[in-house]
């Protein structure tokens, strides 16, 4: 599984976990397709385990928005990207931004990628 595919599957798992009672393992079991790999498992479990810190960091970088008001896909993409930015410094920031934008183009609405790019650009400039 390539990293882009791993991020797509991770996004789907994290999307399921948002406002459900599923465990990480149950949500991961719902995603069909290729076998998983260590990167996929790390970004799913890491994002879920650090969700409070990720959300607190995101709240600081949202202007005139609250995390609860964001559409679910944007919120999930941002959480996944911020996990990588905070906890996986070996991944270049530019790669994280580009991947988040691509995920929004695939799963979100037309304006999703621009919004996510704006939030993450501010985030990376300040870090």
């Amino acid at each position: 599984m390539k990293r882009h595919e791993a991020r797509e599957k991770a996004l789907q798992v994290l999307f399921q976990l948002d406002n459900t009672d599923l465990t990480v393992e149950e949500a991961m079991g719902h995603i069909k397709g290729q076998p998983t790999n260590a990167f996929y498992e790390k970004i799913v479990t890491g994002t879920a385990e650090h969700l409070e810190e990720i959300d607190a960091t995101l709240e600081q970088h949202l202007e005139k928005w609250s995390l609860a008001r964001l559409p679910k896909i944007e919120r999930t993409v941002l959480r996944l990207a911020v996990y990588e930015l905070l906890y996986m410094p070996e991944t270049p920031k530019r790669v994280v931004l580009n991947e988040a934008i691509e995920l929004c183009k695939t799963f979100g609405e037309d304006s999703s990628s621009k919004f996510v790019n704006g939030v993450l650009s501010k985030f990376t400039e300040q870090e």
Side-chain angles (χ1 to χ4, degrees):
M1 175 187 301
K2 294 180 181 177
R3 285 188 170 216
H4 180 73
E5 293 171 278
R7 286 183 182 96
E8 284 185 346
K9 290 185 182 296
L11 177 67
Q12 293 170 15
V13 170
L14 295 167
F15 189 87
Q16 285 184 70
L17 290 172
D18 197 10
N19 300 320
T20 67
D21 293 330
L22 293 173
T23 66
V24 172
E25 292 77 23
E26 289 170 335
M28 287 173 75
H30 291 285
I31 302 301
K32 306 282 187 232
Q34 298 177 354
T36 63
N37 65 18
F39 177 74
Y40 162 78
E41 292 176 11
K42 181 176 181 177
I43 60 177
V44 170
T45 58
T47 302
E49 287 172 3
H50 296 283
L51 194 58
E52 286 184 28
E53 301 97 46
I54 291 167
D55 285 355
T57 301
L58 275 171
E59 287 283 357
Q60 295 172 4
H61 292 85
L62 292 173
E63 290 182 17
K64 301 178 186 173
W65 284 89
S66 70
L67 206 54
R69 279 188 54 215
L70 292 181
K72 193 172 172 181
I73 194 70
E74 283 96 333
R75 182 172 56 234
T76 307
V77 169
L78 285 168
R79 285 172 168 166
L80 181 60
V82 169
Y83 170 75
E84 282 196 75
L85 290 170
L86 292 177
Y87 299 99
M88 299 182 72
E90 67 276 9
T91 305
K93 291 179 181 183
R94 181 175 300 279
V95 171
V96 174
L97 264 66
N98 288 339
E99 286 289 327
I101 291 166
E102 288 305 313
L103 289 171
C104 284
K105 287 180 181 177
T106 302
F107 296 101
E109 296 182 15
D110 292 339
S111 61
S112 297
S113 60
K114 291 178 184 174
F115 177 78
V116 166
N117 183 36
V119 173
L120 292 177
S121 293
K122 289 181 212 164
F123 184 88
T124 57
E125 288 168 4
Q126 294 176 358
E127 297 300 310

